[in-house]
Amino acid sequence: MQTQDVTRRVLREHFGVGAAPGQYVVALAGNPNVGKSTVFNALTGLRQHTGNWPGKTVDNAQGTFTFRDKPFLLVDLPGTYSILAHTVEEQIARDFICFGCPDVTVVVLDATCLERNLNLALQVMEITPNMVVCVNLMDEARKKNITVNTDLLKKELGVPVVATTARNGDGLDELRETMYQVAAGTLELYPRRITYSEQVENTVQKLLPAIQRLVGNRLNPRWVALRLLDGDRAFIESIGLHLDSQAKPGVVSEAAREVAI
Amino acid sequence: MSATVKPISPLAEVCAEAESIRLGSGGKLGDAIVADIYANAESIVRKVVCQTSDAKSNWDAKLDDVLTSRLFGYPIMLALLGLVFWITIEGANVPSGMIADALFAFQDQLSEWFALAGAPEWLHGVLVLGLYRGLAWVVSVMLPPMAIFFPLFTLLEDFGYLPRVAFNLDHLFKACKACGKQALTMCMGFGCNAAGVVSCRIIDSPRERLIAIITNNFVPCNGRFPTLIAVATIFMGGAAATGYDALVASGVITSLVLIGIAVTFAVSWALSHTILKGEPSALVLELPPYRKPQIGAVIYRSIIDRTLFVLRRAVIMAAPAGAITWILGNIYIGDMSVIGHTAAWLQPLGYAVGLDGFILLAFILGLPANEIVVPILLMSYLSSGFMLEFDSLEELRAILVNNGWTWLTAVCTMLFCLLHWPCTTSLLSAYKESGSLKWTFAAFAIPTVIAFAVCFVVAQAARSLGFA
């Protein structure tokens, strides 16, 4: 339980998110204008609390709900197209998913422009396998004669996919159920690994051993390698900060290194 | 000791290794990573999404392929800009003359009434020759081009073309190490530089925001367009064979806007390589679907929000300015009016940059609002002797020529108008947005220095080469 204590402390201190013991923390990510707020409101109703991210001028909304007698804390991340951290919003979303260790990350996608939206889902998948893909705006897609095969999408991604029309409440029960199962760890997840071109893959392999020694099982070393190769200054700062604040004596144990995600 | 250092130093080591690989690849790795993610998304979508052809979105995509293509993107942008100016200039000629005829016929009527009422000569001078004539000039010269230009511009905006412009220009901004969103703040600046400066808030990086604030002035705003259009129409257009004059004038205006954009890039580049060093951040732009413009809304927005707004500002400022200019022009110290003295004092500096003392004085007095530069200039010319009855734009040309204007004066006036200091409203916005007197001063000083330098070079070059 010590690791949970650590992540709860990080959540409180770095993200201003005070989760009660035993409460599942759910992060809600998605592109702008995909109905993310509609999903958020539909799930939490009036049990909301809004403010700012600590030290930032970006809005932060948190809400709670109970499902199957389990308390959930839903954190609405800023709407972003990517989490490669080019803007403050992207950095907040990325840092929260990466270092806040939410129990579930729900990525809301727009069914009418899935290709662009899917990039975000793929990026999140590189950080954490504990995610649910929520394909929203299914009604609009139908209007535009777009059909999305969610079963096939689930197979392709290796994580649960739920089709919703949050405006009418369609699919929200299934979304809650899936979130619950992912949080409780009762679902088998085989997140798809992004296939990179040879050049990228080779350089990642070169860096991987050193990064595994460094981050252990706290972060996906492949993903860290990719960010370093991207020359992402903000990420290097964040990782320095969080590795430092999470560090305990005897930094990374031999065992932890073996179980790298 | 070791506990605090240990977790950091391996990180630094790995970072250094990654950095050397990254630089070794020529900085292409980051792009390759993103491209790979997109390729994955594309291959998944091809399997799971089925779209029965949708005529509308197909049409959108095809239009985007053309409007934002590497080959046609810039020529189309240029052509559209030129077309808008051509329609404006061609269309404004006739109503301009009609409005002027009506207003100046009324001036004679007014003069008669003043004479009938036995009003003193000075009152007639201040109110009719100063105030009313000033207003009449402003309305007849500025209203028709604005009433045509702004709806056309709003039409492009409503159609969804402006985001495509930002998309096209993005890589140029990136090359200058500035943010692509700057293109949007520039579009805003075409309306009003103060609004353009405020819109720089959309840029996240403080460095890039400052660059955008400082350079916003180089796109000509509402208040300066009428000046540019008037000078271009009567000077550049008149110089060409009849029939092509509107075409030449619109070409001149288009080139001026291009010069403004080129200066924007040059200054952005210079700033981001000297006092505002840094890497550019990425631009994420959602291209909205093309929409059929709502004609009613376009006309309402462009007439109410822009045309009448600018005209009101011009009238409010020009009316008292007209009266004051007339008074100053008719108070004599020795054998010259106050305006004459001031202009004479500014004459050497004005002449060096291809203008004259009166023009420079008008720009200085126009600091509160660029709209009043032409009115002040005309009034100071008119008050100092040349009393001309207004018949057509040709008369306006005569006024200027009688006061020693050549084509070089016209070119330098337009360049100076394009590049000179921002109006007080813009400066105030720059101060509020940057929160620093230093950067506000930079926003004033950089355009001023550039305007003087460019006009000086143009004037001296033209004179020494014997063109003027």
Side-chain angles (χ1 to χ4, degrees), chain A residues 81 145 147 149 156 195 197 229, chain B residues 22 36 48 50 52 284 286:
Chain A
Y81 295 99
N145 293 327
T147 41
N149 185 340
E156 285 288 328
T195 38
S197 52
L229 288 173
Chain B
R22 188 174 76 88
D36 288 343
V48 303
C50 163
T52 47
V284 179
E286 193 162 348

Side-chain angles (χ1 to χ4, degrees), chain A residues 81 84 87 115-116 119 145 147 149 152-153 156 192 194-197 203 211 214 226 228-231 236, chain B residues 10-11 14-15 18 21-22 30 33-34 36-38 40-42 45 47-52 204 284 286:
Chain A
Y81 295 99
L84 299 179
T87 64
E115 185 175 333
R116 192 185 66 204
N119 290 300
N145 293 327
T147 41
N149 185 340
L152 191 57
L153 184 60
E156 285 288 328
R192 174 197 179 104
I194 297 178
T195 38
Y196 284 101
S197 52
T203 44
I211 292 175
L214 187 71
L226 288 163
L228 294 185
L229 288 173
D230 197 11
I236 295 169
Chain B
L11 174 66
V14 175
C15 287
I21 296 179
R22 188 174 76 88
I33 292 171
V34 175
D36 288 343
I37 297 175
Y38 271 71
N40 277 259
E42 199 186 333
V45 165
K47 285 182 210 160
V48 303
V49 174
C50 163
Q51 177 169 24
T52 47
D204 294 308
V284 179
E286 193 162 348

Side-chain angles (χ1 to χ4, degrees), chain A residues 103-118:
Chain A
D103 297 289
V104 188
T105 301
V106 176
V107 182
V108 185
L109 309 182
D110 178 350
T112 64
C113 41
L114 205 60
E115 185 175 333
R116 192 185 66 204
N117 282 241
L118 211 48

Side-chain angles (χ1 to χ4, degrees), chain A residues 75-192:
Chain A
V75 180
D76 194 11
L77 300 178
T80 57
Y81 295 99
S82 109
I83 44 171
L84 299 179
H86 297 298
T87 64
V88 185
E89 284 84 359
E90 289 181 20
Q91 197 185 332
I92 290 172
R94 200 260 325 272
D95 281 0
F96 188 83
I97 298 170
C98 187
F99 303 111
C101 303
D103 297 289
V104 188
T105 301
V106 176
V107 182
V108 185
L109 309 182
D110 178 350
T112 64
C113 41
L114 205 60
E115 185 175 333
R116 192 185 66 204
N117 282 241
L118 211 48
N119 290 300
L120 180 67
L122 289 173
Q123 288 170 27
V124 171
M125 230 151 56
E126 287 197 302
I127 306 179
T128 168
N130 298 324
M131 65 181 283
V132 177
V133 169
C134 166
V135 184
N136 194 29
L137 303 179
M138 288 300 278
D139 54 339
E140 286 195 20
R142 261 193 299 276
K143 257 186 236 158
K144 292 188 176 176
N145 293 327
I146 299 170
T147 41
V148 180
N149 185 340
T150 44
D151 289 333
L152 191 57
L153 184 60
K154 187 175 166 178
K155 251 181 236 145
E156 285 288 328
L157 295 176
V159 295
V161 174
V162 182
T164 63
T165 303
R167 240 187 317 238
N168 314 334
D170 290 352
L172 290 178
D173 284 332
E174 194 191 340
L175 182 61
R176 285 191 198 93
E177 177 66 37
T178 317
M179 279 158 61
Y180 173 79
Q181 287 175 359
V182 173
T186 56
L187 272 187
E188 300 262 10
L189 305 164
Y190 307 97
R192 174 197 179 104

Side-chain angles (χ1 to χ4, degrees), chain B residues 248-299:
Chain B
V248 173
S250 51
V252 169
I253 300 277
T254 311
S255 341
L256 271 176
V257 171
L258 287 186
I259 292 173
I261 294 172
V263 171
T264 301
F265 283 125
V267 172
S268 302
W269 186 89
L271 284 174
S272 52
H273 283 82
T274 52
I275 46 179
L276 286 168
K277 264 188 196 147
E279 287 301 311
S281 58
L283 164 71
V284 179
L285 190 68
E286 193 162 348
L287 295 180
Y290 291 102
R291 268 186 303 256
K292 210 174 89 193
Q294 294 166 289
I295 305 293
V298 165
I299 290 176

